[in-house]
Amino acid sequence: MSRFLKKFTIGTTIVGTAVLLLGVGCYSVGARVNTTKSIPVGIYWMTGDPVEKGAYVVFCPPQVGVFDEAKERGYIGAGFCPGGYGFMMKRVLAAKDDQVAVTDEGVAVNGQLLPLSAPLATDKAGRELPRYQATHYTLGNSELLLMSDVSGTSFDGRYYGPISRNQIKGVIRPVVTW
């Protein structure tokens, strides 16, 4: 091995290790990075804010069949949540006592149609997408409807319905988005 190649390898290892440690350190104090279309792409910070309508949240999907299929198809990644699911990030668009309806036109909350909420019949590969069936459903005390309000193609509540508040791992705030 030439001297240059040996120095290059050592330098790359040192830089790689430093970047990895920096990433772990940032994650441990609350930094989160979103690279999906579910919420604006960017860097977010975990907060102690309450979970309420309009908040961005990080959550573990519940262990139900629709999420098993979503993981198999690549809609959600593998991760450290029960069931081997990765964390998901969405916005809380409906909560306790809100009336939700999912139709071909989209998702309505308290009679107001949400933008970009029309469910797709199939994914990019032509596979049929699941669909939450509700024409008039009132959310209970611990139920939340988590959706994207920036993408019409996000895998969100229009496909899997409300989730329990206890699935939420924290509220996140954008630091830098693009």
Side-chain angles (χ1 to χ4, degrees):
M1 181 181 279
S2 75
R3 262 182 107 146
F4 171 77
L5 189 55
K6 188 173 183 178
K7 284 183 179 185
F8 180 76
T9 302
I10 291 170
T12 302
T13 302
I14 291 170
V15 169
T17 302
V19 169
L20 179 64
L21 290 174
L22 180 63
V24 168
C26 288
Y27 183 86
S28 68
V29 296
R32 300 295 183 269
V33 175
N34 176 52
T35 60
T36 72
K37 295 184 280 184
S38 295
I39 62 176
V41 173
I43 299 171
Y44 290 76
W45 199 261
M46 293 287 283
T47 71
D49 293 350
V51 177
E52 58 191 14
K53 282 174 66 170
Y56 290 119
V57 295
V58 173
F59 71 102
C60 277
Q63 287 184 267
V64 294
V66 69
F67 288 105
D68 289 335
E69 186 174 25
K71 187 174 137 192
E72 286 174 21
R73 291 181 174 187
Y75 305 158
I76 62 174
F80 300 109
C81 293
Y85 309 134
F87 290 110
M88 295 177 70
M89 297 177 182
K90 303 285 182 213
R91 188 168 226 166
V92 179
L93 292 182
K96 177 185 173 192
D97 294 331
D98 283 333
Q99 177 122 138
V100 174
V102 181
T103 67
D104 290 340
E105 293 176 13
V107 178
V109 175
N110 300 324
Q112 294 293 319
L113 188 63
L114 300 176
L116 305 169
S117 68
L120 302 173
T122 61
D123 65 13
K124 291 179 189 175
R127 299 171 292 200
E128 188 174 329
L129 285 164
R131 180 149 157 206
Y132 180 65
Q133 300 294 318
T135 51
H136 293 10
Y137 181 77
T138 302
L139 295 179
N141 289 340
S142 65
E143 292 180 306
L144 301 168
L145 183 67
L146 305 179
M147 300 273 300
S148 170
D149 59 355
V150 296
S151 172
T153 60
S154 175
F155 182 71
D156 58 24
R158 70 190 112 185
Y159 303 110
Y160 53 76
I163 67 146
S164 175
R165 187 177 282 273
N166 68 10
Q167 300 297 130
I168 304 295
K169 298 304 172 196
V171 172
I172 55 175
R173 279 211 183 136
V175 176
V176 177
T177 60
W178 53 90

